[in-house]
Amino acid sequence: MTKLLRGRMITILEAKRAGQFGRGKLLPNIIAGVIVGVVALPLAMAFAIASGARPEQGLYTAIIGGFMVSALGGSRVQIAGPTGAFIAILSGVTARYGIDGLQIATLMAGLMLVLMGMAKLGGVIKFIPAPVIVGFTTGIGVIIWVGQWRDFLGLPKISGDHFHEKLWQLLLALPHLHIATTGVALFSLLLVMFSSRIRGLQRVPGPLVAMVAATFLQSIFHFKGVATIGSAFDGIPQGLPNFSFPSVTPERVIELMGPAFTIAMLGAIESLLSAVVADGMTGVRHDSNQELIGQGLANIVAPLFGGFAATGAIARTATNIRNGGTSPLAGITHTLTLALIVLFFAPMAANIPLASLAAILFVVAYNMSELKHFTHIVKRAPRADVVILLITFLLTVFTDLVVAVNIGVILAILQFLRRMAAAVEVQQMGEEKLKRELLDQGLTNLPAGVLVYEIDGPFFFGAVENFERALLQTHTDPRILILRLRRVPFMDITGLQTLDEVIGKLKKRHVRVMICEANHRVRAKLWKVGILEFIKPEDYADEFSTLLKHASTIALFGDSLSCHVHLSEHAANVLKVSSRYLRSDRE
């Protein structure tokens, strides 16, 4: 691990160098950490239960994963732990492969995240388009919301592997809702939403108020039929977890490769989005690659102590910042707070109603869905972006998150390429556009038989059709055709091959092509594929007189080299000087 972290910007060391552990900084961070720990308590248990794990495993994840990210991540104020974004994925993995499979997949995902960070892929995540991100986060919000109906309403157990099957079963079960459970859930939901308006509770997190109040009522009245952590999971063990390495076999690794990759990708996206939000709130930039390494190490270690997948939590990170957190000390304090709660107050968790945790997740799902942002994009965005948003959303809900993100990104890339290709112009430059260059040479008109075309934009595979159509459908063939590449930032192999083919077709029509003003990178590629090359004088004997006649005109479009300086020299010298701009016949 020392070699892995050497030379990187580990935030705990960077924060120390920045003076974040000096006098006057410690107390605000400790207070912020305690507050975030209290906020994380109900969320960690709720996310664990919704993911198919035991409630204490959510606490272990927040303690171990949160500590690793705060100590070794790339953001000073990032708070990590189980999150709502993972519920849709982890619940499916747990249902299919069991909790052992979930822990092995988490460990594999951690290794993937470390490799991504070492390969400096942290900056790549930012290229995922907004419609794709909003589409899958809204979809996850819907999945979480529907997934909590059973605990919120006290419905009987349902069957079904897919979302639409579960939704239909839940709708059929609605007449059988449990009155007491629903009452506790509604009471908890109101407290989560409005407890901040009660005098004396303004600074107490709504989820904590709801959980404590519902637990207090259940402890007094013992509502019959209301499921609790005690009745569903036999309570929470008092004490910290022991080290246990999951049973990893080659067959298991191959089987869980897909889920592990899904966890790694979503973990990277969620963590880096949270870090970006934190940057905006603090004005301090994070190290995205180190953040991936920290998240990866957290997901490697957490399963070894009973936890599962952890990632950066946007809401808890924002809570940390708003309450004065400025260094990793706050995140570490948050994990210590949770550890103390598990050590001393675990028995009290037995009476926590699952309906209360479901109510908390209702609010989490609403906040995560970003409905206002979703509807704003639908109303205001270009039609193609709206289509990408809706497709990503529907695929997230009804198929799989990985499928949704992959297809959404592919559609976004295709749309971008279509727009880029439409923006590339291949246009003929007439004498009006060349007036300034011609006047500099004492000319008023282009010589007969000379045409000048300019390519404006990246010359890549999506733009070759415009190029071919513009050059090959000329009504009259010139003797010399000059291509100006000054506005071409890059060319890909398809563009280079197309250019070569077009030049070959023009050659058969006895049209000679000169290429000029290419930047260094484009010129190097033209040389590499053989479009620009040294030629023998005799290969150009028939056209040499025409070249000399128009050499001064051709020189206008070169850089520091000028053909007309060498008019008195032998043809080979003229061609050698002009070779970087001139495409000759190829045997």
Side-chain angles (χ1 to χ4, degrees):
M1 185 179 292
T2 303
K3 292 182 179 179
L4 179 66
L5 298 174
R6 187 178 296 160
R8 296 185 178 274
M9 191 191 78
I10 305 173
T11 49
I12 195 167
L13 300 178
E14 187 270 337
K16 182 179 179 181
R17 288 194 296 268
Q20 291 298 318
F21 296 119
R23 185 173 297 177
K25 298 283 187 179
L26 296 179
L27 185 59
N29 280 283
I30 292 173
I31 293 174
V34 171
I35 293 173
V36 176
V38 171
V39 171
L41 175 66
L43 294 176
M45 291 189 291
F47 293 147
I49 294 171
S51 299
R54 292 181 57 86
E56 67 268 20
Q57 290 181 295
L59 296 173
Y60 300 158
T61 302
I63 294 169
I64 305 299
F67 179 87
M68 295 293 293
V69 170
S70 293
L72 303 175
S75 172
R76 291 183 187 178
V77 293
Q78 181 85 283
I79 302 295
T83 63
F86 272 140
I87 289 175
I89 296 172
L90 302 188
S91 60
V93 174
T94 306
R96 184 171 180 180
Y97 303 105
I99 194 65
D100 289 340
L102 173 60
Q103 292 177 323
I104 295 171
T106 299
L107 196 153
M108 292 168 60
L111 292 172
M112 293 178 186
L113 285 167
V114 170
L115 293 175
M116 289 168 63
M118 294 178 65
K120 300 186 183 302
L121 297 179
V124 175
I125 304 299
K126 66 184 179 183
F127 293 112
I128 298 179
V132 176
I133 293 176
V134 175
F136 81 71
T137 52
T138 304
I140 290 173
V142 171
I143 292 173
I144 295 172
W145 178 60
V146 173
Q148 295 306 304
W149 285 12
R150 179 169 177 263
D151 287 338
F152 191 93
L153 301 172
L155 301 177
K157 190 174 182 179
I158 61 168
S159 60
D161 296 328
H162 301 288
F163 176 83
H164 64 280
E165 296 172 342
K166 295 177 181 178
L167 177 61
W168 180 245
Q169 292 293 324
L170 286 169
L171 292 173
L172 292 178
L174 284 179
H176 305 288
L177 64 85
H178 189 264
I179 299 298
T181 300
T182 305
V184 172
L186 290 173
F187 172 72
S188 301
L189 182 62
L190 291 174
L191 287 177
V192 174
M193 297 172 61
F194 303 112
S195 65
S196 60
R197 301 182 183 181
I198 301 174
R199 182 176 297 179
L201 296 178
Q202 290 90 341
R203 297 184 60 84
V204 182
L208 181 66
V209 174
M211 186 187 73
V212 170
T215 303
F216 181 73
L217 289 178
Q218 180 64 22
S219 301
I220 293 177
F221 297 104
H222 299 287
F223 299 112
K224 188 177 180 180
V226 174
T228 63
I229 287 180
S231 64
F233 301 100
D234 294 325
I236 293 178
Q238 190 171 10
L240 297 178
N242 297 319
F243 176 87
S244 176
F245 196 87
S247 177
V248 181
T249 62
E251 295 78 11
R252 203 73 161 147
V253 169
I254 294 173
E255 184 181 39
L256 292 168
M257 189 63 70
F261 180 75
T262 304
I263 293 171
M265 288 302 298
L266 183 57
I269 294 170
E270 187 78 1
S271 295
L272 295 180
L273 283 177
S274 177
V276 169
V277 171
D279 288 352
M281 296 178 70
T282 62
V284 178
R285 294 188 62 183
H286 72 284
D287 183 335
S288 57
N289 295 315
Q290 183 60 40
E291 181 64 20
L292 289 182
I293 291 175
Q295 295 288 341
L297 293 173
N299 283 283
I300 291 172
V301 177
L304 305 180
F305 292 90
F308 53 89
T311 186
I314 296 176
R316 274 161 278 173
T317 299
T319 301
N320 178 35
I321 297 169
R322 291 192 189 103
N323 286 279
T326 59
S327 77
L329 177 61
I332 294 172
T333 303
H334 133 267
T335 65
L336 294 176
T337 301
L338 290 173
L340 291 173
I341 291 173
V342 172
L343 284 171
F344 297 104
F345 300 102
M348 298 181 182
N351 286 320
I352 297 176
L354 299 186
S356 177
L357 299 180
I360 294 171
L361 289 180
F362 266 31
V363 178
V364 170
Y366 175 79
N367 292 333
M368 187 174 184
S369 65
E370 298 186 66
L371 289 179
K372 291 183 179 179
H373 194 187
F374 186 92
T375 55
H376 177 77
I377 292 178
V378 171
K379 293 178 181 179
R380 303 288 185 178
R383 184 177 302 175
D385 291 325
V386 174
V387 171
I388 292 171
L389 171 73
L390 295 177
I391 288 176
T392 305
F393 168 74
L394 293 173
L395 288 175
T396 299
V397 173
F398 292 103
T399 59
D400 180 75
L401 178 65
V402 175
V403 173
V405 172
N406 287 341
I407 292 180
V409 170
I410 290 172
L411 290 175
I413 290 173
L414 292 176
Q415 173 62 11
F416 172 77
L417 293 176
R418 187 185 71 83
R419 290 171 177 169
M420 288 291 293
V424 177
E425 295 183 359
V426 182
Q427 56 183 344
Q428 182 178 345
M429 301 192 72
E431 293 170 350
E432 282 296 321
K433 292 184 178 180
L434 297 171
K435 186 175 181 180
R436 181 176 177 182
E437 287 94 337
L438 293 172
L439 287 175
D440 289 342
Q441 295 293 318
L443 300 173
T444 57
N445 300 304
L446 278 172
V450 176
L451 285 182
V452 180
Y453 275 85
E454 182 173 53
I455 303 176
D456 188 353
F459 192 44
F460 68 111
F461 63 90
V464 296
E465 184 180 353
N466 294 344
F467 175 75
E468 289 183 293
R469 184 169 58 248
L471 291 190
L472 295 180
Q473 295 182 359
T474 55
H475 298 294
T476 57
D477 289 343
R479 293 289 290 162
I480 297 175
L481 189 146
I482 300 171
L483 287 180
R484 303 183 72 174
L485 304 184
R486 59 178 180 167
R487 299 183 184 275
V488 178
F490 68 87
M491 300 180 74
D492 69 357
I493 187 60
T494 306
L496 291 166
Q497 290 176 347
T498 302
L499 179 60
D500 196 27
E501 292 171 2
V502 168
I503 289 174
K505 293 176 183 178
L506 290 171
K507 168 191 169 183
K508 294 179 181 179
R509 289 157 52 174
H510 307 292
V511 178
R512 304 305 178 192
V513 178
M514 294 190 71
I515 299 173
C516 61
E517 292 181 291
N519 63 43
H520 176 73
R521 288 192 304 168
V522 172
R523 187 160 60 242
K525 291 180 180 179
L526 293 171
W527 272 106
K528 189 174 183 179
V529 299
I531 292 178
L532 296 180
E533 61 185 5
F534 291 108
I535 60 175
K536 300 177 182 178
E538 54 268 26
D539 293 337
Y540 231 108
D542 295 338
E543 288 79 19
F544 184 58
S545 59
T546 305
L547 276 174
L548 291 180
K549 180 179 179 182
H550 302 307
S552 60
T553 303
I554 294 169
L556 297 176
F557 311 111
D559 52 14
S560 60
L561 298 176
S562 299
C563 294
H564 68 276
V565 174
H566 304 276
L567 289 180
S568 61
E569 299 183 19
H570 190 268
N573 291 331
V574 177
L575 295 175
K576 185 174 181 180
V577 172
S578 308
S579 61
R580 76 174 66 183
Y581 312 111
L582 186 144
R583 166 58 164 87
S584 70
D585 298 347
R586 291 166 67 176
E587 295 295 338

